[in-house]
Amino acid sequence: QEQLVESGGGLVQTGGSLTLSCTAPERTFNNYHMGWFRQAPGKDRNVVSAITWSGGAKYYADSVKGRFTISRDNTRNMVNLRMTNLKPEDTAVYYCAATDGGVWSVDAVDYWGKGTLVTVAS
């Protein structure tokens, strides 16, 4: 069972910033695409951002384009999500995910982190 470990969640005011980090075992990190999903209370879990194993391609959901930036540090087996200009609707549990495929759906994810809560106060 692979272990993805998230950190960096917390409470922030509207317009503030947070950076989420996720570490993974080297054998996972070097061969898998990495991404972030989020799930708000009573809603589905959806992909927010993703990055290929090489870092050569990135994906952002429309709702976060221009505000969130995903990056990966292959020397530290870490993927980061820099979130700026946060809005109350960004409030959710954020999950790190890994997949060896090219589809970013919940069913296609191979490994999940336990999640980290981000709360944006209005």
Side-chain angles (χ1 to χ4, degrees):
Q1 183 71 25
E2 302 293 351
Q3 289 186 328
L4 308 183
V5 181
E6 303 103 334
S7 63
L11 174 64
V12 65
Q13 297 295 315
T14 296
S17 301
L18 282 175
T19 298
L20 305 182
S21 297
C22 171
T23 58
E26 183 175 355
R27 63 181 178 277
T28 302
F29 195 82
N30 289 341
N31 295 289
Y32 282 70
H33 310 305
M34 304 295 295
W36 291 91
F37 284 70
R38 69 185 180 186
Q39 187 168 22
K43 296 190 176 181
D44 294 335
R45 188 177 299 188
N46 293 304
V47 63
V48 173
S49 183
I51 186 168
T52 55
W53 67 269
S54 68
K58 301 176 184 180
Y59 165 83
Y60 297 97
D62 287 343
S63 59
V64 306
K65 281 181 181 176
R67 301 189 297 122
F68 290 13
T69 303
I70 193 169
S71 63
R72 64 189 295 158
D73 183 346
N74 289 347
T75 65
R76 300 173 64 190
N77 301 333
M78 179 180 290
V79 59
N80 297 316
L81 185 68
R82 175 66 175 168
M83 307 184 295
T84 64
N85 191 20
L86 283 162
K87 305 175 181 180
E89 52 263 42
D90 294 317
T91 295
V93 177
Y94 285 70
Y95 296 90
C96 182
T99 178
D100 63 357
V103 178
W104 282 99
S105 66
V106 170
D107 293 342
V109 169
D110 295 293
Y111 303 108
W112 292 100
K114 293 183 177 180
T116 185
L117 176 63
V118 172
T119 303
V120 184
S122 58

Short mmCIF file of all heavy atoms in Angstrom, two decimals, residues 11-43:
data_model
loop_
_atom_site.label_atom_id
_atom_site.label_comp_id
_atom_site.label_asym_id
_atom_site.label_seq_id
_atom_site.Cartn_x
_atom_site.Cartn_y
_atom_site.Cartn_z
N LEU A 11 -6.63 27.15 8.00
CA LEU A 11 -7.63 28.22 7.89
C LEU A 11 -6.97 29.47 7.33
O LEU A 11 -5.90 29.89 7.80
CB LEU A 11 -8.21 28.51 9.27
CG LEU A 11 -9.17 29.71 9.38
CD1 LEU A 11 -10.43 29.46 8.56
CD2 LEU A 11 -9.51 29.96 10.84
N VAL A 12 -7.62 30.07 6.34
CA VAL A 12 -7.08 31.28 5.72
C VAL A 12 -8.24 32.20 5.39
O VAL A 12 -9.37 31.74 5.16
CB VAL A 12 -6.26 30.92 4.46
CG1 VAL A 12 -7.15 30.31 3.38
CG2 VAL A 12 -5.50 32.11 3.93
N GLN A 13 -7.98 33.48 5.35
CA GLN A 13 -9.00 34.46 4.99
C GLN A 13 -9.15 34.53 3.47
O GLN A 13 -8.23 34.19 2.72
CB GLN A 13 -8.62 35.85 5.52
CG GLN A 13 -8.55 35.93 7.02
CD GLN A 13 -9.89 35.73 7.68
OE1 GLN A 13 -10.91 36.29 7.25
NE2 GLN A 13 -9.92 34.94 8.75
N THR A 14 -10.30 34.98 3.04
CA THR A 14 -10.53 35.20 1.61
C THR A 14 -9.43 36.08 1.05
O THR A 14 -9.08 37.11 1.65
CB THR A 14 -11.90 35.85 1.38
OG1 THR A 14 -12.92 34.95 1.81
CG2 THR A 14 -12.11 36.17 -0.08
N GLY A 15 -8.91 35.66 -0.09
CA GLY A 15 -7.81 36.38 -0.72
C GLY A 15 -6.44 35.92 -0.28
O GLY A 15 -5.42 36.35 -0.86
N GLY A 16 -6.38 35.08 0.70
CA GLY A 16 -5.11 34.59 1.21
C GLY A 16 -4.54 33.46 0.37
O GLY A 16 -5.09 33.08 -0.67
N SER A 17 -3.41 32.93 0.84
CA SER A 17 -2.69 31.90 0.11
C SER A 17 -2.30 30.75 1.02
O SER A 17 -2.11 30.94 2.23
CB SER A 17 -1.42 32.49 -0.52
OG SER A 17 -1.72 33.56 -1.39
N LEU A 18 -2.19 29.58 0.43
CA LEU A 18 -1.69 28.39 1.12
C LEU A 18 -0.93 27.56 0.10
O LEU A 18 -1.25 27.60 -1.10
CB LEU A 18 -2.83 27.54 1.68
CG LEU A 18 -3.52 27.96 2.97
CD1 LEU A 18 -4.70 27.02 3.24
CD2 LEU A 18 -2.55 27.94 4.14
N THR A 19 0.02 26.79 0.61
CA THR A 19 0.70 25.81 -0.23
C THR A 19 0.53 24.43 0.38
O THR A 19 0.86 24.21 1.54
CB THR A 19 2.19 26.13 -0.37
OG1 THR A 19 2.35 27.40 -1.02
CG2 THR A 19 2.89 25.07 -1.21
N LEU A 20 -0.05 23.53 -0.42
CA LEU A 20 -0.18 22.14 -0.01
C LEU A 20 0.99 21.35 -0.55
O LEU A 20 1.45 21.60 -1.67
CB LEU A 20 -1.48 21.55 -0.53
CG LEU A 20 -2.77 22.28 -0.18
CD1 LEU A 20 -3.97 21.51 -0.74
CD2 LEU A 20 -2.89 22.48 1.31
N SER A 21 1.46 20.39 0.23
CA SER A 21 2.55 19.53 -0.20
C SER A 21 2.14 18.08 -0.03
O SER A 21 1.36 17.74 0.86
CB SER A 21 3.81 19.81 0.61
OG SER A 21 4.27 21.14 0.40
N CYS A 22 2.70 17.25 -0.87
CA CYS A 22 2.42 15.81 -0.81
C CYS A 22 3.72 15.07 -1.10
O CYS A 22 4.38 15.35 -2.11
CB CYS A 22 1.35 15.43 -1.82
SG CYS A 22 1.09 13.65 -2.03
N THR A 23 4.06 14.16 -0.23
CA THR A 23 5.23 13.31 -0.47
C THR A 23 4.78 11.89 -0.76
O THR A 23 3.74 11.43 -0.26
CB THR A 23 6.19 13.33 0.73
OG1 THR A 23 5.48 12.89 1.89
CG2 THR A 23 6.74 14.72 0.97
N ALA A 24 5.56 11.21 -1.55
CA ALA A 24 5.23 9.85 -1.94
C ALA A 24 6.50 9.01 -1.94
O ALA A 24 7.60 9.55 -2.09
CB ALA A 24 4.61 9.84 -3.33
N PRO A 25 6.35 7.69 -1.82
CA PRO A 25 7.53 6.83 -1.95
C PRO A 25 8.18 7.03 -3.32
O PRO A 25 7.48 7.26 -4.31
CB PRO A 25 6.96 5.43 -1.80
CG PRO A 25 5.69 5.62 -1.05
CD PRO A 25 5.15 6.94 -1.50
N GLU A 26 9.47 6.91 -3.37
CA GLU A 26 10.19 7.20 -4.61
C GLU A 26 9.68 6.37 -5.78
O GLU A 26 9.52 6.87 -6.89
CB GLU A 26 11.69 6.96 -4.41
CG GLU A 26 12.53 7.30 -5.63
CD GLU A 26 14.02 7.15 -5.34
OE1 GLU A 26 14.38 6.87 -4.18
OE2 GLU A 26 14.82 7.33 -6.26
N ARG A 27 9.40 5.10 -5.55
CA ARG A 27 8.97 4.24 -6.65
C ARG A 27 7.63 4.68 -7.21
O ARG A 27 7.32 4.46 -8.37
CB ARG A 27 8.90 2.78 -6.21
CG ARG A 27 7.89 2.50 -5.12
CD ARG A 27 7.90 1.03 -4.74
NE ARG A 27 6.97 0.73 -3.66
CZ ARG A 27 7.23 0.91 -2.38
NH1 ARG A 27 8.40 1.39 -2.01
NH2 ARG A 27 6.33 0.60 -1.46
N THR A 28 6.81 5.30 -6.39
CA THR A 28 5.54 5.85 -6.87
C THR A 28 5.78 7.16 -7.57
O THR A 28 5.31 7.39 -8.68
CB THR A 28 4.56 6.05 -5.71
OG1 THR A 28 4.35 4.82 -5.05
CG2 THR A 28 3.25 6.63 -6.21
N PHE A 29 6.50 8.02 -6.93
CA PHE A 29 6.65 9.37 -7.44
C PHE A 29 7.32 9.39 -8.81
O PHE A 29 6.93 10.15 -9.69
CB PHE A 29 7.46 10.20 -6.44
CG PHE A 29 7.38 11.66 -6.70
CD1 PHE A 29 6.30 12.39 -6.25
CD2 PHE A 29 8.37 12.31 -7.43
CE1 PHE A 29 6.22 13.74 -6.50
CE2 PHE A 29 8.28 13.66 -7.69
CZ PHE A 29 7.20 14.38 -7.22
N ASN A 30 8.30 8.56 -9.00
CA ASN A 30 9.05 8.59 -10.26
C ASN A 30 8.31 8.01 -11.44
O ASN A 30 8.71 8.19 -12.58
CB ASN A 30 10.38 7.86 -10.09
CG ASN A 30 11.35 8.63 -9.21
OD1 ASN A 30 11.19 9.82 -9.00
ND2 ASN A 30 12.34 7.93 -8.69
N ASN A 31 7.23 7.27 -11.19
CA ASN A 31 6.56 6.58 -12.28
C ASN A 31 5.09 6.96 -12.45
O ASN A 31 4.44 6.45 -13.36
CB ASN A 31 6.64 5.06 -12.06
CG ASN A 31 8.06 4.56 -12.12
OD1 ASN A 31 8.67 4.53 -13.17
ND2 ASN A 31 8.59 4.19 -10.97
N TYR A 32 4.60 7.81 -11.58
CA TYR A 32 3.19 8.13 -11.61
C TYR A 32 2.97 9.62 -11.86
O TYR A 32 3.78 10.47 -11.46
CB TYR A 32 2.53 7.77 -10.27
CG TYR A 32 2.25 6.30 -10.14
CD1 TYR A 32 3.29 5.39 -9.98
CD2 TYR A 32 0.95 5.82 -10.16
CE1 TYR A 32 3.04 4.04 -9.87
CE2 TYR A 32 0.69 4.46 -10.03
CZ TYR A 32 1.73 3.58 -9.88
OH TYR A 32 1.47 2.26 -9.77
N HIS A 33 1.85 9.88 -12.50
CA HIS A 33 1.38 11.25 -12.58
C HIS A 33 0.77 11.60 -11.22
O HIS A 33 0.16 10.74 -10.57
CB HIS A 33 0.31 11.39 -13.66
CG HIS A 33 0.73 10.82 -14.98
ND1 HIS A 33 1.88 11.18 -15.64
CD2 HIS A 33 0.14 9.87 -15.76
CE1 HIS A 33 1.98 10.51 -16.77
NE2 HIS A 33 0.94 9.70 -16.87
N MET A 34 0.92 12.83 -10.80
CA MET A 34 0.45 13.25 -9.49
C MET A 34 -0.60 14.33 -9.63
O MET A 34 -0.55 15.15 -10.57
CB MET A 34 1.61 13.77 -8.65
CG MET A 34 2.76 12.79 -8.47
SD MET A 34 2.28 11.32 -7.53
CE MET A 34 1.89 12.04 -5.94
N GLY A 35 -1.53 14.35 -8.70
CA GLY A 35 -2.57 15.37 -8.79
C GLY A 35 -3.20 15.67 -7.45
O GLY A 35 -2.89 15.04 -6.44
N TRP A 36 -4.08 16.65 -7.48
CA TRP A 36 -4.84 17.05 -6.30
C TRP A 36 -6.33 17.04 -6.64
O TRP A 36 -6.75 17.60 -7.66
CB TRP A 36 -4.44 18.46 -5.86
CG TRP A 36 -3.06 18.53 -5.30
CD1 TRP A 36 -1.90 18.80 -5.97
CD2 TRP A 36 -2.68 18.33 -3.94
NE1 TRP A 36 -0.83 18.78 -5.13
CE2 TRP A 36 -1.28 18.49 -3.86
CE3 TRP A 36 -3.38 18.03 -2.76
CZ2 TRP A 36 -0.57 18.36 -2.67
CZ3 TRP A 36 -2.68 17.90 -1.58
CH2 TRP A 36 -1.29 18.07 -1.54
N PHE A 37 -7.09 16.41 -5.77
CA PHE A 37 -8.55 16.44 -5.82
C PHE A 37 -9.03 17.22 -4.61
O PHE A 37 -8.30 17.40 -3.63
CB PHE A 37 -9.12 15.03 -5.75
CG PHE A 37 -9.00 14.23 -7.02
CD1 PHE A 37 -7.77 13.79 -7.47
CD2 PHE A 37 -10.13 13.89 -7.75
CE1 PHE A 37 -7.65 13.04 -8.63
CE2 PHE A 37 -10.04 13.13 -8.91
CZ PHE A 37 -8.80 12.71 -9.35
N ARG A 38 -10.28 17.63 -4.65
CA ARG A 38 -10.88 18.22 -3.47
C ARG A 38 -12.34 17.78 -3.36
O ARG A 38 -12.99 17.47 -4.36
CB ARG A 38 -10.78 19.74 -3.47
CG ARG A 38 -11.62 20.46 -4.51
CD ARG A 38 -11.32 21.96 -4.46
NE ARG A 38 -12.10 22.71 -5.43
CZ ARG A 38 -11.95 24.01 -5.68
NH1 ARG A 38 -11.01 24.70 -5.01
NH2 ARG A 38 -12.70 24.61 -6.57
N GLN A 39 -12.79 17.76 -2.12
CA GLN A 39 -14.17 17.36 -1.85
C GLN A 39 -14.74 18.27 -0.77
O GLN A 39 -14.26 18.25 0.37
CB GLN A 39 -14.24 15.90 -1.41
CG GLN A 39 -15.65 15.37 -1.27
CD GLN A 39 -15.68 13.86 -1.13
OE1 GLN A 39 -14.68 13.23 -0.75
NE2 GLN A 39 -16.81 13.26 -1.45
N ALA A 40 -15.75 19.02 -1.15
CA ALA A 40 -16.46 19.87 -0.21
C ALA A 40 -17.58 19.07 0.43
O ALA A 40 -18.03 18.06 -0.13
CB ALA A 40 -17.02 21.10 -0.92
N PRO A 41 -18.06 19.47 1.60
CA PRO A 41 -19.13 18.74 2.27
C PRO A 41 -20.35 18.56 1.37
O PRO A 41 -20.85 19.53 0.77
CB PRO A 41 -19.46 19.62 3.48
CG PRO A 41 -18.19 20.34 3.75
CD PRO A 41 -17.59 20.61 2.41
N GLY A 42 -20.80 17.33 1.24
CA GLY A 42 -21.98 17.04 0.45
C GLY A 42 -21.79 17.05 -1.05
O GLY A 42 -22.75 16.93 -1.81
N LYS A 43 -20.54 17.18 -1.48
CA LYS A 43 -20.27 17.24 -2.92
C LYS A 43 -19.33 16.12 -3.34
O LYS A 43 -18.71 15.45 -2.52
CB LYS A 43 -19.68 18.61 -3.28
CG LYS A 43 -20.64 19.76 -3.05
CD LYS A 43 -20.12 21.04 -3.63
CE LYS A 43 -21.15 22.16 -3.47
NZ LYS A 43 -20.65 23.44 -4.05
#
